[in-house]
Amino acid sequence: MKISDLRLELEEDLAWRLDELRHLRNSLLGQLSRDAWEARSMRAILVMQYAHLEGFTRNALSLYVSLVNSRQLQASDLQPQLLAAALAREFKALYSGDFSPQDVDGRLSKRMKGHVAFLDRLQELSVDPVEIAAEVAVSMEMNLSPDVLRRNLYMLGIPEDRVTRHQYNAIEFVKNTRNDIAHGSRTEVIAPGLFEAHRKKCEQFMGDLSRVITLAAAEEWYRIAPRNGT
């Protein structure tokens, strides 16, 4: 994958999401003064905004994983976080401790075989190009939250401070509001000023994340010794 291809896919994904959100806002609120904005309209927009925040974040990070995979790098070339991402499925198997009385192997035998399988995978990574499964390494953990975002950025070797604090706060507001609506507890009026501030921050977050992902790819932050270039 070329940097230009990554940039184009990010731009296209962001464009249709922003267009849909703005269309919804204009349809529900565009002809009304702020004093006339109904809570149900703002709730509907926030629920849709959360869906696009999560969807864009997942897609952007997955595209970055695809670019890293396309470089066909050896384990010795990659940041350790990306090696951990490549082993995410194996780590999960080691820690899950899943065991059924019907299993042919007992708990101890199964655990030891899991350790051997893990070491087999390490040996593969020391010889073959590293392949990261995006669907395993990139996880929203049921809800996109600041902590989930930090976890995903860290796993891919992207410094969390590349996303500003106020954008993390905006994600938290939209996530909490979305959850409150889903649980039937968000019935009070949402202050229009608060709604608009976080709506704009979330749109800015998606644009900023696109730029961070593109920069990370261009400067090869995934390498042990990042260098400029493509």
PDB file of all heavy atoms in Angstrom, residues 3 12 28 32 38 41-42 58 62 78 87 92 105 112 119 121 131 139 148 151 172 176 206:
ATOM      1  N   ILE A   3       1.552   5.414   0.480  1.00  0.00           N
ATOM      2  CA  ILE A   3       1.071   6.459   1.392  1.00  0.00           C
ATOM      3  C   ILE A   3      -0.096   7.207   0.746  1.00  0.00           C
ATOM      4  O   ILE A   3      -1.087   7.541   1.401  1.00  0.00           O
ATOM      5  CB  ILE A   3       2.191   7.450   1.748  1.00  0.00           C
ATOM      6  CG1 ILE A   3       3.382   6.724   2.368  1.00  0.00           C
ATOM      7  CG2 ILE A   3       1.671   8.526   2.686  1.00  0.00           C
ATOM      8  CD1 ILE A   3       3.080   6.051   3.675  1.00  0.00           C
ATOM      9  N   GLU A  12     -11.637   9.622   1.858  1.00  0.00           N
ATOM     10  CA  GLU A  12     -12.950   9.203   1.360  1.00  0.00           C
ATOM     11  C   GLU A  12     -13.844   8.713   2.494  1.00  0.00           C
ATOM     12  O   GLU A  12     -15.043   9.023   2.527  1.00  0.00           O
ATOM     13  CB  GLU A  12     -12.779   8.110   0.302  1.00  0.00           C
ATOM     14  CG  GLU A  12     -12.178   8.611  -1.000  1.00  0.00           C
ATOM     15  CD  GLU A  12     -11.994   7.503  -2.025  1.00  0.00           C
ATOM     16  OE1 GLU A  12     -12.079   6.305  -1.631  1.00  0.00           O
ATOM     17  OE2 GLU A  12     -11.774   7.820  -3.211  1.00  0.00           O
ATOM     18  N   LEU A  28     -32.429  18.152  11.097  1.00  0.00           N
ATOM     19  CA  LEU A  28     -33.094  18.219  12.394  1.00  0.00           C
ATOM     20  C   LEU A  28     -33.019  19.591  13.047  1.00  0.00           C
ATOM     21  O   LEU A  28     -33.950  19.992  13.763  1.00  0.00           O
ATOM     22  CB  LEU A  28     -32.498  17.171  13.347  1.00  0.00           C
ATOM     23  CG  LEU A  28     -32.688  15.713  12.946  1.00  0.00           C
ATOM     24  CD1 LEU A  28     -31.980  14.798  13.941  1.00  0.00           C
ATOM     25  CD2 LEU A  28     -34.176  15.357  12.868  1.00  0.00           C
ATOM     26  N   LEU A  32     -33.828  25.870  12.735  1.00  0.00           N
ATOM     27  CA  LEU A  32     -34.287  26.292  14.063  1.00  0.00           C
ATOM     28  C   LEU A  32     -33.223  27.121  14.771  1.00  0.00           C
ATOM     29  O   LEU A  32     -32.028  26.941  14.557  1.00  0.00           O
ATOM     30  CB  LEU A  32     -34.611  25.057  14.923  1.00  0.00           C
ATOM     31  CG  LEU A  32     -35.655  24.084  14.366  1.00  0.00           C
ATOM     32  CD1 LEU A  32     -35.718  22.848  15.254  1.00  0.00           C
ATOM     33  CD2 LEU A  32     -37.016  24.753  14.277  1.00  0.00           C
ATOM     34  N   GLU A  38     -34.616  20.622  19.950  1.00  0.00           N
ATOM     35  CA  GLU A  38     -35.220  19.610  20.805  1.00  0.00           C
ATOM     36  C   GLU A  38     -34.164  18.611  21.277  1.00  0.00           C
ATOM     37  O   GLU A  38     -33.261  18.239  20.535  1.00  0.00           O
ATOM     38  CB  GLU A  38     -36.315  18.855  20.055  1.00  0.00           C
ATOM     39  CG  GLU A  38     -37.527  19.711  19.708  1.00  0.00           C
ATOM     40  CD  GLU A  38     -38.607  18.885  19.044  1.00  0.00           C
ATOM     41  OE1 GLU A  38     -38.279  17.851  18.410  1.00  0.00           O
ATOM     42  OE2 GLU A  38     -39.781  19.248  19.180  1.00  0.00           O
ATOM     43  N   SER A  41     -33.708  15.550  19.098  1.00  0.00           N
ATOM     44  CA  SER A  41     -32.926  15.742  17.871  1.00  0.00           C
ATOM     45  C   SER A  41     -31.440  15.693  18.168  1.00  0.00           C
ATOM     46  O   SER A  41     -30.664  15.061  17.437  1.00  0.00           O
ATOM     47  CB  SER A  41     -33.289  17.087  17.233  1.00  0.00           C
ATOM     48  OG  SER A  41     -34.637  17.097  16.814  1.00  0.00           O
ATOM     49  N   MET A  42     -31.044  16.366  19.247  1.00  0.00           N
ATOM     50  CA  MET A  42     -29.622  16.347  19.614  1.00  0.00           C
ATOM     51  C   MET A  42     -29.187  14.946  20.011  1.00  0.00           C
ATOM     52  O   MET A  42     -28.066  14.517  19.701  1.00  0.00           O
ATOM     53  CB  MET A  42     -29.363  17.351  20.735  1.00  0.00           C
ATOM     54  CG  MET A  42     -29.412  18.810  20.271  1.00  0.00           C
ATOM     55  SD  MET A  42     -28.945  19.996  21.566  1.00  0.00           S
ATOM     56  CE  MET A  42     -30.500  20.110  22.469  1.00  0.00           C
ATOM     57  N   ARG A  58     -11.914   2.719  13.985  1.00  0.00           N
ATOM     58  CA  ARG A  58     -11.593   1.325  13.673  1.00  0.00           C
ATOM     59  C   ARG A  58     -11.020   1.202  12.250  1.00  0.00           C
ATOM     60  O   ARG A  58     -10.015   0.518  12.024  1.00  0.00           O
ATOM     61  CB  ARG A  58     -12.832   0.444  13.814  1.00  0.00           C
ATOM     62  CG  ARG A  58     -12.560  -1.046  13.591  1.00  0.00           C
ATOM     63  CD  ARG A  58     -13.873  -1.815  13.471  1.00  0.00           C
ATOM     64  NE  ARG A  58     -14.678  -1.682  14.661  1.00  0.00           N
ATOM     65  CZ  ARG A  58     -14.555  -2.435  15.750  1.00  0.00           C
ATOM     66  NH1 ARG A  58     -13.630  -3.375  15.782  1.00  0.00           N
ATOM     67  NH2 ARG A  58     -15.354  -2.264  16.783  1.00  0.00           N
ATOM     68  N   SER A  62      -7.184   0.210  11.209  1.00  0.00           N
ATOM     69  CA  SER A  62      -7.066  -1.019  10.414  1.00  0.00           C
ATOM     70  C   SER A  62      -6.321  -0.759   9.102  1.00  0.00           C
ATOM     71  O   SER A  62      -5.534  -1.599   8.639  1.00  0.00           O
ATOM     72  CB  SER A  62      -8.457  -1.601  10.126  1.00  0.00           C
ATOM     73  OG  SER A  62      -9.093  -1.996  11.324  1.00  0.00           O
ATOM     74  N   LEU A  78      10.533  -4.006  13.696  1.00  0.00           N
ATOM     75  CA  LEU A  78       9.312  -3.394  14.215  1.00  0.00           C
ATOM     76  C   LEU A  78       9.418  -2.989  15.672  1.00  0.00           C
ATOM     77  O   LEU A  78      10.134  -3.604  16.465  1.00  0.00           O
ATOM     78  CB  LEU A  78       8.133  -4.364  14.062  1.00  0.00           C
ATOM     79  CG  LEU A  78       7.603  -4.582  12.645  1.00  0.00           C
ATOM     80  CD1 LEU A  78       6.565  -5.691  12.658  1.00  0.00           C
ATOM     81  CD2 LEU A  78       7.009  -3.301  12.082  1.00  0.00           C
ATOM     82  N   LEU A  87       0.906 -10.749  18.016  1.00  0.00           N
ATOM     83  CA  LEU A  87       0.698 -11.908  18.885  1.00  0.00           C
ATOM     84  C   LEU A  87      -0.572 -11.788  19.720  1.00  0.00           C
ATOM     85  O   LEU A  87      -0.769 -12.565  20.654  1.00  0.00           O
ATOM     86  CB  LEU A  87       1.900 -12.069  19.823  1.00  0.00           C
ATOM     87  CG  LEU A  87       3.200 -12.549  19.169  1.00  0.00           C
ATOM     88  CD1 LEU A  87       4.387 -12.289  20.084  1.00  0.00           C
ATOM     89  CD2 LEU A  87       3.102 -14.032  18.827  1.00  0.00           C
ATOM     90  N   LYS A  92      -4.191 -13.786  23.943  1.00  0.00           N
ATOM     91  CA  LYS A  92      -5.543 -14.034  24.428  1.00  0.00           C
ATOM     92  C   LYS A  92      -5.741 -15.505  24.780  1.00  0.00           C
ATOM     93  O   LYS A  92      -6.343 -15.842  25.810  1.00  0.00           O
ATOM     94  CB  LYS A  92      -6.570 -13.613  23.369  1.00  0.00           C
ATOM     95  CG  LYS A  92      -8.023 -13.768  23.818  1.00  0.00           C
ATOM     96  CD  LYS A  92      -8.983 -13.264  22.747  1.00  0.00           C
ATOM     97  CE  LYS A  92     -10.428 -13.433  23.219  1.00  0.00           C
ATOM     98  NZ  LYS A  92     -11.387 -12.947  22.180  1.00  0.00           N
ATOM     99  N   ASP A 105      -7.537 -33.072  26.786  1.00  0.00           N
ATOM    100  CA  ASP A 105      -6.412 -32.642  27.613  1.00  0.00           C
ATOM    101  C   ASP A 105      -6.926 -32.043  28.923  1.00  0.00           C
ATOM    102  O   ASP A 105      -7.943 -31.360  28.951  1.00  0.00           O
ATOM    103  CB  ASP A 105      -5.585 -31.581  26.883  1.00  0.00           C
ATOM    104  CG  ASP A 105      -4.892 -32.144  25.657  1.00  0.00           C
ATOM    105  OD1 ASP A 105      -4.451 -33.301  25.725  1.00  0.00           O
ATOM    106  OD2 ASP A 105      -4.796 -31.423  24.649  1.00  0.00           O
ATOM    107  N   MET A 112       0.140 -26.100  28.924  1.00  0.00           N
ATOM    108  CA  MET A 112       1.482 -26.308  28.400  1.00  0.00           C
ATOM    109  C   MET A 112       1.491 -26.318  26.878  1.00  0.00           C
ATOM    110  O   MET A 112       2.402 -25.779  26.235  1.00  0.00           O
ATOM    111  CB  MET A 112       2.066 -27.618  28.944  1.00  0.00           C
ATOM    112  CG  MET A 112       3.518 -27.868  28.512  1.00  0.00           C
ATOM    113  SD  MET A 112       4.614 -26.464  28.859  1.00  0.00           S
ATOM    114  CE  MET A 112       4.477 -26.386  30.657  1.00  0.00           C
ATOM    115  N   LEU A 119       5.313 -20.280  21.563  1.00  0.00           N
ATOM    116  CA  LEU A 119       6.720 -20.266  21.166  1.00  0.00           C
ATOM    117  C   LEU A 119       6.889 -20.602  19.683  1.00  0.00           C
ATOM    118  O   LEU A 119       7.766 -20.063  19.009  1.00  0.00           O
ATOM    119  CB  LEU A 119       7.514 -21.247  22.028  1.00  0.00           C
ATOM    120  CG  LEU A 119       7.659 -20.839  23.500  1.00  0.00           C
ATOM    121  CD1 LEU A 119       8.342 -21.939  24.294  1.00  0.00           C
ATOM    122  CD2 LEU A 119       8.433 -19.536  23.624  1.00  0.00           C
ATOM    123  N   ARG A 121       4.823 -19.760  17.409  1.00  0.00           N
ATOM    124  CA  ARG A 121       4.475 -18.513  16.719  1.00  0.00           C
ATOM    125  C   ARG A 121       5.632 -17.519  16.788  1.00  0.00           C
ATOM    126  O   ARG A 121       5.928 -16.828  15.803  1.00  0.00           O
ATOM    127  CB  ARG A 121       3.216 -17.916  17.347  1.00  0.00           C
ATOM    128  CG  ARG A 121       2.775 -16.589  16.760  1.00  0.00           C
ATOM    129  CD  ARG A 121       2.348 -16.715  15.316  1.00  0.00           C
ATOM    130  NE  ARG A 121       1.809 -15.466  14.827  1.00  0.00           N
ATOM    131  CZ  ARG A 121       2.063 -14.971  13.619  1.00  0.00           C
ATOM    132  NH1 ARG A 121       2.812 -15.643  12.765  1.00  0.00           N
ATOM    133  NH2 ARG A 121       1.546 -13.825  13.248  1.00  0.00           N
ATOM    134  N   GLU A 131       2.898 -10.455  10.205  1.00  0.00           N
ATOM    135  CA  GLU A 131       1.536 -10.195   9.725  1.00  0.00           C
ATOM    136  C   GLU A 131       0.655  -9.938  10.935  1.00  0.00           C
ATOM    137  O   GLU A 131       0.526 -10.771  11.818  1.00  0.00           O
ATOM    138  CB  GLU A 131       1.012 -11.395   8.937  1.00  0.00           C
ATOM    139  CG  GLU A 131      -0.357 -11.198   8.315  1.00  0.00           C
ATOM    140  CD  GLU A 131      -0.319 -10.353   7.043  1.00  0.00           C
ATOM    141  OE1 GLU A 131       0.773 -10.167   6.475  1.00  0.00           O
ATOM    142  OE2 GLU A 131      -1.389  -9.903   6.611  1.00  0.00           O
ATOM    143  N   SER A 139      -9.209  -3.083  18.498  1.00  0.00           N
ATOM    144  CA  SER A 139     -10.439  -3.463  19.201  1.00  0.00           C
ATOM    145  C   SER A 139     -11.048  -2.264  19.884  1.00  0.00           C
ATOM    146  O   SER A 139     -10.360  -1.485  20.547  1.00  0.00           O
ATOM    147  CB  SER A 139     -10.137  -4.544  20.245  1.00  0.00           C
ATOM    148  OG  SER A 139     -11.278  -4.821  21.032  1.00  0.00           O
ATOM    149  N   VAL A 148      -9.695   3.102  25.577  1.00  0.00           N
ATOM    150  CA  VAL A 148      -9.632   2.176  24.437  1.00  0.00           C
ATOM    151  C   VAL A 148      -8.794   2.774  23.312  1.00  0.00           C
ATOM    152  O   VAL A 148      -7.977   2.095  22.690  1.00  0.00           O
ATOM    153  CB  VAL A 148     -11.050   1.838  23.939  1.00  0.00           C
ATOM    154  CG1 VAL A 148     -11.005   1.138  22.585  1.00  0.00           C
ATOM    155  CG2 VAL A 148     -11.775   0.966  24.952  1.00  0.00           C
ATOM    156  N   ARG A 151      -5.163   2.611  24.214  1.00  0.00           N
ATOM    157  CA  ARG A 151      -4.680   1.234  24.082  1.00  0.00           C
ATOM    158  C   ARG A 151      -4.359   0.913  22.634  1.00  0.00           C
ATOM    159  O   ARG A 151      -3.316   0.332  22.321  1.00  0.00           O
ATOM    160  CB  ARG A 151      -5.731   0.274  24.643  1.00  0.00           C
ATOM    161  CG  ARG A 151      -5.396  -1.216  24.470  1.00  0.00           C
ATOM    162  CD  ARG A 151      -6.063  -1.793  23.255  1.00  0.00           C
ATOM    163  NE  ARG A 151      -5.894  -3.237  23.146  1.00  0.00           N
ATOM    164  CZ  ARG A 151      -6.071  -3.931  22.037  1.00  0.00           C
ATOM    165  NH1 ARG A 151      -6.422  -3.326  20.916  1.00  0.00           N
ATOM    166  NH2 ARG A 151      -5.917  -5.239  22.021  1.00  0.00           N
ATOM    167  N   GLU A 172     -15.313  10.994  25.296  1.00  0.00           N
ATOM    168  CA  GLU A 172     -15.952  10.525  26.529  1.00  0.00           C
ATOM    169  C   GLU A 172     -17.370  11.048  26.643  1.00  0.00           C
ATOM    170  O   GLU A 172     -18.292  10.318  27.034  1.00  0.00           O
ATOM    171  CB  GLU A 172     -15.117  10.978  27.739  1.00  0.00           C
ATOM    172  CG  GLU A 172     -15.598  10.441  29.073  1.00  0.00           C
ATOM    173  CD  GLU A 172     -15.370   8.944  29.235  1.00  0.00           C
ATOM    174  OE1 GLU A 172     -14.651   8.336  28.407  1.00  0.00           O
ATOM    175  OE2 GLU A 172     -15.922   8.375  30.194  1.00  0.00           O
ATOM    176  N   ASN A 176     -20.567   8.550  26.637  1.00  0.00           N
ATOM    177  CA  ASN A 176     -21.453   8.500  27.810  1.00  0.00           C
ATOM    178  C   ASN A 176     -22.888   8.868  27.444  1.00  0.00           C
ATOM    179  O   ASN A 176     -23.842   8.242  27.925  1.00  0.00           O
ATOM    180  CB  ASN A 176     -20.936   9.435  28.903  1.00  0.00           C
ATOM    181  CG  ASN A 176     -19.679   8.913  29.570  1.00  0.00           C
ATOM    182  OD1 ASN A 176     -19.378   7.725  29.493  1.00  0.00           O
ATOM    183  ND2 ASN A 176     -18.929   9.785  30.214  1.00  0.00           N
ATOM    184  N   MET A 206     -11.716  13.274  14.146  1.00  0.00           N
ATOM    185  CA  MET A 206     -11.597  12.365  13.015  1.00  0.00           C
ATOM    186  C   MET A 206     -10.615  12.899  11.982  1.00  0.00           C
ATOM    187  O   MET A 206      -9.802  12.154  11.428  1.00  0.00           O
ATOM    188  CB  MET A 206     -12.966  12.102  12.397  1.00  0.00           C
ATOM    189  CG  MET A 206     -13.868  11.250  13.277  1.00  0.00           C
ATOM    190  SD  MET A 206     -15.400  10.674  12.459  1.00  0.00           S
ATOM    191  CE  MET A 206     -16.378  12.179  12.480  1.00  0.00           C
TER     192      MET A 206
END
